[in-house]
Amino acid sequence: MERLHINANRKKSKINKEIYGHFSEHLGRCIYEGIYVGENSPIPNTNGIRNDVVEALKRIKVPVLRWPGGCFADEYHWRDGIGPKETRKRMINTHWGGVVEDNSFGTHEFMELCRQLECEPYITGNLGSGTVEEMQSWVEYMTFDGVSPMAELRKQNGREEPWHLKYFGIGNESWGCGGNMRPEYYADLYRRYQTYVRNYGNNKIYKVACGPAGDDYNWTEVLMKLAGKFMDALALHHYTLPNDSWEHKGSATEFNEKDWYRTLRKTLYMDELVTRHSWVMDKYDPDKKVGLIVDEWGTWYDVEPGTNPGFLYQQNTMRDALVAGINLNIFNKHSERVVMANIAQTVNVLQAVILTEGTNMILTPTYHVFDLYKEHQDAELLESSLTTDLVGIEEEAVPCLHESVSMDKDGRIHITICNLSLSESRTIRAEIAGKAIKSVTGRVLTGEMNAYNTFDNPEKVKPVEFKNYKLLEDGLEFTVPACSVMALTVE
Ligand code: AHR
């Protein structure tokens, strides 16, 4: 029997709802087809945006959406995506798949998407190949509320009022596709570009600097030292690849038990990354004024056979559900420093929550984890600890159980637990100090390790109600099935 201790009197940090954020790039079929189909599409839409996708994303309460990239952001020139659609530039998306980008989805369409989703926009500006003037005028175009050439242009394009824009990234992966810079050089450029990212009227921009790739602690060190006082947050990127090779990352659906445990072991590494980058940040920012944002995370496999290698289309199994559950638990537990995270990417790309095919749409196991975990949004992280043993194969051993716990504003406790074992269930005795339990509700997502939803069988993997618990005097007892993600609410 495992023991879960929860201290309802010990609230540790607020779990910003933005930790449950998403990322959508002009890449493959994410924006075009997946989200935007145009006003004349037979697919039901509102102002060109798919109704089915918006409804599904609203159900999981997407709090913030990052756009237009990714690598695309540092090649994107925002003026190409405004004005009458017939006159917008057509070009080749050289970075992703060599397809025609007709710029029919631009700033106005993205802001309309965020309006429909009722989420915060998070825009990444072009520092790699764009000018300071270009970045400055984009922010002016979107947020200036007085008389100015950019505000005038916005009005000519049909938008009278400025938009509210909080999150703005200054370059993407500037150590790689965003310019191959050294941290010292980027830190100086960051200082320069951010100077002209202005606050107009009541709009206050939260400035996000490009952070490290994985374990590049030196990047964090240099950025914090040279530019820390000019930023609100630093953005880390880290993907989970089953294999270490980018040429042979591994299949999304065809994998064995060893691959399962190796993937989960590699995703658990996010904890070390966040911990060690936080230590570096603590040195320069002990009051934790600068946030750590993980604005690209998720699994990255070989593309589905027969699909464009530049489209990064992959299926999504129970393994992805566990990856999502583990990472979200990690972000919750580090919410004193991690203020936002954005899974890559919302629809049809990498660890997508939604896949589309023409008029059809399916929800992936990862979607269901976001649904199970949504109660953590804006709740307070509670002190918790869980005993557990190691499971897995030889060098791929992982802890069997992984949890996080929060309390919402109405005093309800939310427990999310992943069972990483493929073969063994675990019975847990949970003791909750500081809370009398009246009732418990729960849902669990479980299945074969490589079970996934298809357009022919869209509900093979979906959560079911969980009632199999016993109330005790000071807590509860329940059994978590093998290969599962569970969410319990204690009232
Ligand atoms: O998400 C796909 C790509 O991964 C992004 O464009 C880039 O930022 C990262 O390398």
Side-chain angles (χ1 to χ4, degrees), residues 23 25 27 66 68-73 95-96 172-173 175 177 237 239 246 296 300 312 344-345 349-350:
F23 165 43
E25 180 169 9
L27 194 179
R66 178 172 182 253
C71 297
F72 185 80
H95 208 96
W96 299 118
N172 168 76
E173 296 195 352
W175 37 260
C177 65
H237 287 184
Y239 285 95
W246 280 92
E296 288 189 28
W300 194 323
L312 310 186
Q345 300 193 3
V349 169
L350 298 176

Side-chain angles (χ1 to χ4, degrees), residues 118-133:
E118 295 171 26
C119 77
E120 290 279 350
Y122 171 14
I123 289 187
T124 301
N126 179 347
L127 174 135
S129 70
T131 63
V132 176
E133 184 279 331

Side-chain angles (χ1 to χ4, degrees), residues 177-461:
C177 65
N180 287 305
M181 300 173 204
R182 295 171 309 119
E184 293 80 5
Y185 182 65
Y186 170 73
D188 277 344
L189 274 192
Y190 171 83
R191 289 169 62 130
R192 177 171 169 230
Y193 274 67
Q194 68 80 33
T195 307
Y196 302 94
V197 172
R198 309 259 197 226
N199 295 324
Y200 297 113
N202 295 329
N203 194 73
K204 170 97 177 67
I205 301 273
Y206 184 96
K207 297 174 186 174
V208 183
C210 164
D215 63 358
D216 186 353
Y217 301 109
N218 180 53
W219 183 278
T220 301
E221 177 89 37
V222 174
L223 261 289
M224 289 302 293
K225 185 168 166 190
L226 300 182
K229 65 177 180 210
F230 298 100
M231 67 179 74
D232 294 302
L234 190 65
L236 161 72
H237 287 184
H238 178 65
Y239 285 95
T240 300
L241 277 67
N243 301 324
D244 289 325
S245 147
W246 280 92
E247 279 67 48
H248 304 286
K249 294 179 278 295
S251 159
T253 53
E254 304 287 317
F255 56 87
N256 59 30
E257 291 195 8
K258 193 163 183 184
D259 299 326
W260 164 276
Y261 287 112
R262 190 172 52 248
T263 308
L264 299 189
R265 180 177 61 72
K266 292 183 80 179
T267 220
L268 284 158
Y269 179 55
M270 181 64 89
D271 202 340
E272 177 177 332
L273 286 177
V274 168
T275 304
R276 293 186 59 184
H277 284 294
S278 298
W279 285 344
V280 178
M281 294 175 80
D282 284 348
K283 193 167 132 192
Y284 297 94
D285 174 38
D287 297 332
K288 301 194 183 345
K289 289 193 183 122
V290 179
L292 182 62
I293 288 182
V294 188
D295 63 15
E296 288 189 28
W297 68 272
T299 51
W300 194 323
Y301 307 119
D302 297 334
V303 297
E304 284 303 301
T307 64
N308 186 330
F311 278 17
L312 310 186
Y313 178 75
Q314 63 189 41
Q315 251 297 354
N316 196 293
T317 66
M318 273 306 296
R319 178 172 59 166
D320 296 85
L322 270 292
V323 166
I326 290 167
N327 278 283
L328 292 170
N329 280 339
I330 292 171
F331 301 146
N332 286 348
K333 291 214 165 209
H334 285 278
S335 50
E336 85 294 350
R337 181 66 87 174
V338 176
V339 294
M340 188 197 294
N342 309 73
I343 191 167
Q345 300 193 3
T346 322
V347 189
N348 292 332
V349 169
L350 298 176
Q351 195 178 346
V353 293
I354 289 174
L355 302 177
T356 67
E357 201 176 81
T359 50
N360 298 324
M361 175 196 91
I362 55 174
L363 308 175
T364 65
T366 299
Y367 175 95
H368 294 303
V369 172
F370 273 80
D371 194 32
L372 292 177
Y373 276 54
K374 68 185 174 197
E375 304 297 342
H376 285 308
Q377 293 193 20
D378 277 347
E380 301 276 349
L381 178 73
L382 289 185
E383 184 176 84
S384 65
S385 65
L386 177 58
T387 60
T388 187
D389 53 336
L390 289 179
V391 292
I393 296 172
E394 297 152 19
E395 71 278 9
E396 310 299 356
V398 291
C400 183
L401 300 170
H402 194 271
E403 106 295 353
S404 68
V405 183
S406 70
M407 181 183 273
D408 68 21
K409 61 177 182 356
D410 300 319
R412 298 181 310 160
I413 293 180
H414 303 286
I415 306 170
T416 47
I417 300 189
C418 301
N419 185 345
L420 286 63
S421 169
L422 281 173
S423 52
E424 296 169 42
S425 62
R426 284 286 182 275
T427 298
I428 299 177
R429 189 191 152 96
E431 283 168 20
I432 307 183
K435 164 120 188 135
I437 304 178
K438 284 195 235 116
S439 64
V440 179
T441 50
R443 285 191 296 160
V444 64
L445 185 72
T446 185
E448 297 292 310
M449 67 176 182
N450 51 7
Y452 58 95
N453 294 332
T454 63
F455 293 92
D456 294 329
N457 192 359
E459 300 207 338
K460 188 175 163 77
V461 186

Side-chain angles (χ1 to χ4, degrees), residues 49 65 67 105-123 138-139 141-143 154 159 161-168 203 205:
I49 297 166
L65 186 62
W67 173 84
F105 191 91
T107 306
H108 291 249
E109 291 75 19
F110 175 64
M111 289 301 195
E112 168 62 10
L113 170 62
C114 293
R115 185 194 69 77
Q116 291 186 25
L117 291 174
E118 295 171 26
C119 77
E120 290 279 350
Y122 171 14
I123 289 187
W138 196 8
V139 173
Y141 183 87
M142 292 185 280
T143 64
R154 183 188 70 232
R159 173 78 190 189
E161 296 298 314
W163 288 285
H164 156 79
L165 174 68
K166 179 171 176 186
Y167 299 108
F168 194 82
N203 194 73
I205 301 273

